[in-house]
């Protein structure tokens, strides 16, 4: 476990002003709630943890009482905002699944750090600023991901994707589990699910290496692709792998730049490193990505149970789940969780029984940042199938409703679970989430004042919301809170 996972890193980004606006909400009201803009200071940041600022705003700003359900005469219920769920868990053990999106920079991304530190800043009673890791990195290790498993026979232009047992072991998805211990409330768990290792062989060798001579060398990507770091705490596993040899990397970084500056920045950053993930997720790599995520979800369910194995007095836990995901992660997580008839042939699904259904029925809210659902669903026009996103969320809505109605004293009706999507119209790879069967959908428009040339010069961040330091978050929350007193 790197110490940096629990440290704040220096920010790299411009000052920016933004506003948060809800749009296209499934509701009987046409009103929109516009929140006051605020000047955000340049401060402490982590790449792509930026969506967390918006997440923190939801603690105060997303008041479910303002949004009427699409269901008919839903029963009255208390507010179930994210902030309320974390502050008032009512004895439930809350797990937050955090799934990254396209363009991960590997184990140095620290995707969940801003989320964890922001939650602790909001709650004000964590015993550590960003929680503490539970155990070692938890790799997918069943079925085709066993350390001694046969290398998959996938090829790219007649060349094997993984050429050795070490390479295949280096491609295994992994989870890092964190416990946020509190002095005045129920402990929380954040499970960071990392599927990016499966894509690095193809992206590094076939895309980044090729464009180094054709367009321009991307020094940051070449460095990421050429660093080998075994995970000393987990035998036969890696934190990073040299898909490009150090010798070849040293040659590449000195190649001349051929493409126009703006074009090559977009090509090597957004397309080569980011959008290629989306293409891979729709192709033959998809079953491996989904099975890896499924294995990590099953491991994450047992986080706290494992911590209490030696305590015979510990009572069985009542778990609730919240999902926070970026871009492509929004598309993948529901495909992994919806273990329907079309996926029963998968060994992980067969062995898990109804544990995936248990996660879905106990998940009340999901947050999307920079999603590409409208674009990705263009590849899924065959009606209700395991590739159709609407099929997955409809299953979620039914399972959640049946679960709520099964509880003692429950009303006949139930409020659908909620998807909250935060969408930046200046983002090159963000679309709104359409109305979906069986769930509430809330689209919020996030308008940034980031200058266009800064986006072009920093294309890998063009699809992200920028992380802010905790001081800026507190100021933002206090400002809004004061305005509403």
């Amino acid at each position: 476990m790197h110490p940096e996972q629990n440290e704040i890193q220096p920010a790299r980004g411009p000052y920016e002003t933004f506003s948060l606006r809800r749009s296209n909400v499934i509701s009987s009201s046409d009103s929109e709630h516009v929140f006051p803009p605020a000047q955000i200071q340049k401060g402490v940041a982590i790449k792509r943890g930026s969506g967390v600022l918006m997440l923190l705003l939801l603690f105060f700003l997303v008041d479910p009482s303002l949004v009427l359900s699409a269901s008919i005469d839903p029963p009255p219920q208390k507010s179930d905002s994210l902030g309320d769920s974390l502050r008032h868990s009512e004895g439930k053990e809350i797990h937050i699944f955090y799934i990254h999106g396209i363009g991960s920079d590997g184990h140095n991304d620290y995707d969940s750090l801003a989320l964890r530190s922001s939650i602790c800043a909001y709650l004000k009673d964590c015993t550590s600023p960003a929680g503490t890791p539970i155990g070692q990195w938890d790799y997918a290790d069943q079925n085709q991901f066993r350390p001694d498993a046969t290398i998959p026979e996938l090829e790219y232009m007649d060349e094997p994707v993984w050429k050795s047992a070490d390479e295949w072991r280096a491609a295994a998805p992994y989870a890092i589990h964190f416990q946020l211990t509190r002095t005045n409330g129920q402990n929380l768990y954040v499970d960071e699910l990392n599927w990016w290792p499966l894509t690095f062989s193809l992206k590094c060798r076939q895309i980044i290496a090729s464009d180094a001579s054709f367009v321009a060398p991307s020094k940051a990507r070449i460095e990421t692709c050429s660093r080998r770091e075994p995970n000393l705490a987990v035998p036969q596993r890696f934190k990073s792998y040299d898909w490009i040899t150090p010798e070849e990397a040293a040659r590449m970084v000195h190649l001349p730049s051929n493409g126009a500056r703006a074009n090559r920045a977009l090509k090597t950053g957004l397309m080569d490193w980011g959008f290629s993930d989306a293409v891979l997720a729709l192709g033959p790599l998809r079953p491996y990505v989904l099975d890896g995520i499924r294995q990590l979800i099953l491991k994450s369910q047992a986080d706290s149970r494992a911590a209490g194995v030696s305590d015979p007095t510990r009572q069985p836990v009542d778990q609730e789940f919240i999902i926070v995901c970026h871009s492509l992660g929004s598309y993948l997580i529901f495909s992994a969780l919806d273990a329907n008839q079309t996926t029963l042939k998968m060994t992980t699904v067969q062995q898990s029984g109804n544990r995936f259904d248990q996660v879905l029925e106990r998940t009340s809210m999901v947050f999307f940042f920079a999603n590409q659902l409208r674009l990705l669903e263009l590849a899924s026009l065959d009606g209700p199938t395991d590739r159709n996103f609407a099929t997955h969320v409809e299953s979620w809505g039914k399972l959640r409703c049946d679960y709520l109605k099964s509880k003692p004293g429950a009303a006949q009706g139930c409020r659908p679970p909620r998807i909250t999507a935060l969408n930046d119209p200046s983002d090159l790879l963000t679309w709104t989430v359409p109305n979906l069967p069986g769930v509430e959908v809330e689209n919020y428009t996030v308008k940034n004042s980031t200058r266009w040339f800064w986006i072009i010069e920093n294309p890998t961040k063009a699809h992200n919301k920028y992380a802010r330091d905790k001081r800026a978050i507190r100021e933002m929350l206090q400002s809004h809170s004061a305005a509403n007193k």
Side-chain angles (χ1 to χ4, degrees):
M1 182 71 207
H2 277 296
E4 295 96 326
Q5 286 267 4
N6 288 304
E7 295 176 358
I8 305 298
Q9 306 296 316
R12 290 179 293 177
Y15 293 90
E16 66 178 339
T17 303
F18 73 92
S19 63
L20 184 61
R21 181 189 300 269
R22 185 170 60 191
S23 59
N24 301 328
V25 181
I26 300 178
S27 170
S28 61
S29 171
D30 292 328
S31 63
E32 285 187 332
H33 300 272
V34 182
F35 305 102
Q39 185 67 27
I40 301 302
Q41 301 175 359
K42 185 186 297 184
V44 178
I46 302 90
K47 180 178 178 288
R48 235 183 339 276
S50 56
V52 176
L53 175 61
M54 304 311 167
L55 184 60
L56 263 292
L57 290 175
L58 292 174
F59 291 151
F60 286 94
L61 306 183
V62 178
D63 181 352
S65 66
L66 300 175
V67 184
L68 301 180
S69 170
S71 62
I72 300 176
D73 296 324
Q77 64 182 47
K78 65 177 183 179
S79 171
D80 61 351
S81 70
L82 180 55
D84 286 339
S85 296
L86 298 182
R87 279 197 181 279
H88 309 292
S89 59
E90 298 181 341
K92 294 182 175 65
E93 186 178 88
I94 296 181
H95 286 250
I96 301 175
F97 289 141
Y98 185 94
I99 306 96
H100 67 83
I102 63 173
S104 172
D105 282 331
H107 76 288
N108 286 322
D109 238 346
Y110 311 120
D111 269 339
S112 72
L113 175 55
L115 171 64
R116 292 180 279 114
S117 60
S118 297
I119 288 174
C120 285
Y122 169 74
L123 295 174
K124 297 183 174 60
D125 65 352
C126 293
T127 58
S128 62
T132 55
I134 303 174
Q136 305 300 331
W137 290 14
D138 210 352
Y139 290 84
D141 57 7
Q142 301 299 311
N143 309 325
Q144 66 266 38
F145 293 112
R146 298 190 324 271
D148 61 347
T150 303
I151 304 171
E153 297 180 355
L154 292 181
E155 294 185 346
Y156 178 89
M157 303 290 187
D158 288 333
E159 180 180 340
V161 176
W162 300 283
K163 302 176 183 179
S164 68
D166 267 356
E167 288 191 1
W168 177 232
R169 287 192 285 264
Y174 67 89
I176 308 178
H177 313 294
F178 297 91
Q179 178 174 290
L180 278 58
T181 305
R182 301 175 59 195
T183 58
N184 298 309
Q186 188 89 359
N187 294 342
L188 305 173
Y189 298 87
V190 175
D191 301 293
E192 179 184 301
L193 311 183
N194 292 274
W195 51 267
W196 60 262
L198 278 165
T199 69
F200 267 40
S201 173
L202 286 163
K203 292 202 302 182
C204 291
R205 287 172 168 164
Q206 306 300 343
I207 305 296
I208 296 299
S210 173
D211 265 0
S213 58
F214 174 55
V215 180
S218 175
K219 295 181 180 179
R221 306 305 180 204
I222 292 171
E223 180 182 352
T224 298
C225 290
S226 60
R227 185 188 307 117
R228 179 185 290 214
E229 183 180 351
N231 191 333
L232 300 179
V234 186
Q236 298 183 302
R237 298 299 187 185
F238 297 83
K239 293 186 175 182
S240 61
Y241 195 82
D242 51 344
W243 304 105
I244 298 174
T245 66
E247 296 77 17
E248 185 65 6
R251 182 191 68 82
M252 287 180 183
V253 296
H254 295 294
L255 293 171
S257 298
N258 298 317
R261 182 179 181 184
N263 290 12
R264 71 178 185 248
L266 288 170
K267 178 79 181 298
T268 60
L270 190 60
M271 301 305 296
D272 288 358
W273 197 248
F275 194 66
S276 56
D277 283 328
V279 176
L280 289 169
L282 295 174
L285 200 61
R286 173 187 167 91
Y288 297 92
V289 174
L290 295 184
D291 195 49
I293 293 175
R294 290 187 182 112
Q295 292 188 36
L296 301 182
I297 290 170
L298 295 180
K299 288 174 177 288
S300 299
Q301 281 185 283
D303 291 355
S304 52
R305 295 176 186 174
V309 166
S310 60
D311 182 3
T313 65
R314 191 172 193 269
Q315 298 298 312
V317 295
D318 184 8
Q319 293 181 317
E320 286 284 337
F321 301 94
I322 295 167
I323 297 174
V324 179
C325 38
H326 280 281
S327 64
L328 184 57
S330 311
Y331 180 80
L332 294 173
I333 186 64
F334 279 102
S335 299
L337 281 170
D338 186 17
N340 53 39
Q341 293 296 319
T342 59
T343 58
L344 287 179
K345 60 183 179 180
M346 299 295 295
T347 306
T348 300
V349 176
Q350 293 173 343
Q351 294 173 345
S352 67
N354 64 346
R355 290 175 64 186
F356 295 115
D357 286 353
Q358 291 173 358
V359 172
L360 285 173
E361 69 185 17
R362 291 169 180 265
T363 300
S364 61
M365 60 186 75
V366 175
F367 296 89
F368 287 175
F369 298 106
N371 79 90
Q372 294 104 41
L373 294 182
R374 286 187 185 271
L375 181 67
L376 295 171
E377 277 297 282
L378 294 176
S380 305
L381 305 178
D382 296 329
T385 70
D386 67 324
R387 288 179 175 267
N388 189 298
F389 189 81
T391 300
H392 300 318
V393 295
E394 188 172 15
S395 296
W396 172 37
K398 183 178 186 307
L399 286 166
R400 176 67 179 173
C401 189
D402 290 346
Y403 168 70
L404 292 176
K405 290 192 292 187
S406 70
K407 303 183 79 170
Q412 291 300 309
C414 64
R415 179 175 179 173
R418 184 174 76 243
I419 293 175
T420 300
L422 295 113
N423 315 309
D424 181 357
S426 297
D427 187 335
L428 299 180
L429 285 178
T430 293
W431 288 262
T432 59
V433 177
N435 295 350
L436 293 166
V439 300
E440 286 183 356
V441 175
E442 298 175 359
N443 282 295
Y444 282 81
T445 297
V446 184
K447 291 187 176 181
N448 293 310
S449 65
T450 306
R451 297 176 181 176
W452 68 270
F453 61 81
W454 191 88
I455 290 178
I456 290 177
E457 292 176 354
N458 296 268
T460 60
K461 296 181 184 294
H463 63 285
N464 302 327
K465 316 300 175 290
Y466 308 104
R468 280 78 172 190
D469 64 348
K470 288 188 287 187
R471 177 183 175 188
I473 292 174
R474 286 197 298 269
E475 289 178 354
M476 191 71 179
L477 295 177
Q478 291 168 357
S479 172
H480 178 78
S481 177
N484 284 276
K485 286 183 179 178

